[in-house]
Amino acid sequence: MADSSKRRHRGRSRKRRPPAGASRPAPSEQGAAASAAPERERVARGPAAEAPAAGERPRPPWYPLPLSELLILVGAIGAVVGLRRGSHGGPVLLAGLAAVMIGTIEVTLREHLAGYRSHALILALLPTIIFHSTVALGVAAFTRVPGWLNVVLVVLDVALFTFLLKLLRARYLDARRERPFAGRR
């Protein structure tokens, strides 16, 4: 009895084996066949159907084309050209900075909404800056900006920033929890 309790029972292996009559391919053919099967499946499904792994950056809808990165590169070149032209390069400088900003916001928003990396601070700060600038420039266009308006704007900025930060952080945490299951859909 003591011997039977110490013996370990080995179950059957769950690995599928080829049929007895099938010939086994050579090791070099085996590696090529193994790598070709996933490639055929990937081509059949298309690149957009493939979900990135858990540690990979989320892919944009235009996946093979690095559009955001190209936009950032062209914008950076435009900004440098605009700076080198001095006072005559204003429009080129503004267009370059706008291109860099659009490309950066797109990548930042995509990563945040996919749960890859939290960019809640940046994404909450941008609408706050736009709100503050719009109100300040709108009032300055018609009259001199009173001092009390700046105090009111700072209070509104803090409230807006806090609200957006909590909202974006909650959205990121939801997406982060869903991320491991996204590849299985």
Side-chain angles (χ1 to χ4, degrees):
M1 193 95 147
D3 289 331
S4 65
S5 66
K6 288 185 181 180
R7 273 193 251 167
R8 299 206 182 245
H9 177 64
R10 284 184 73 176
R12 285 184 61 186
S13 173
R14 298 195 191 281
K15 184 177 175 185
R16 292 183 182 253
R17 297 172 195 244
S23 63
R24 298 189 82 171
S28 62
E29 294 172 0
Q30 212 173 16
S35 65
E39 181 67 21
R40 274 186 262 126
E41 290 175 13
R42 184 186 67 77
V43 170
R45 288 183 295 171
E50 212 175 283
E56 284 186 36
R57 176 173 274 118
R59 294 185 180 136
W62 49 84
Y63 164 64
L65 180 66
L67 189 61
S68 300
E69 290 81 0
L70 289 173
L71 191 61
I72 293 169
L73 176 67
V74 169
I77 291 170
V80 169
V81 169
L83 284 173
R84 303 275 280 151
R85 286 188 180 173
S87 62
H88 301 294
V92 177
L93 175 65
L94 290 177
L97 291 176
V100 169
M101 189 177 351
I102 290 169
T104 304
I105 290 170
E106 190 280 323
V107 171
T108 304
L109 190 62
R110 182 171 17 104
E111 286 181 355
H112 183 83
L113 295 178
Y116 176 69
R117 189 171 288 150
S118 177
H119 297 291
L121 286 172
I122 294 170
L123 294 173
L125 190 61
L126 288 174
T128 306
I129 290 171
I130 291 170
F131 168 74
H132 186 99
S133 301
T134 303
V135 172
L137 290 174
V139 170
F142 298 110
T143 183
R144 197 175 132 245
V145 179
W148 60 266
L149 181 64
N150 287 328
V151 175
V152 171
L153 276 179
V154 168
V155 170
L156 290 175
D157 290 343
V158 169
L160 178 63
F161 177 77
T162 305
F163 171 74
L164 291 174
L165 185 66
K166 288 182 180 184
L167 186 73
L168 287 164
R169 185 67 183 161
R171 173 63 180 102
Y172 168 75
L173 292 174
D174 288 344
R176 185 72 175 186
R177 278 191 292 270
E178 293 173 10
R179 191 167 169 82
F181 304 112
R184 297 184 194 156
R185 292 180 185 163

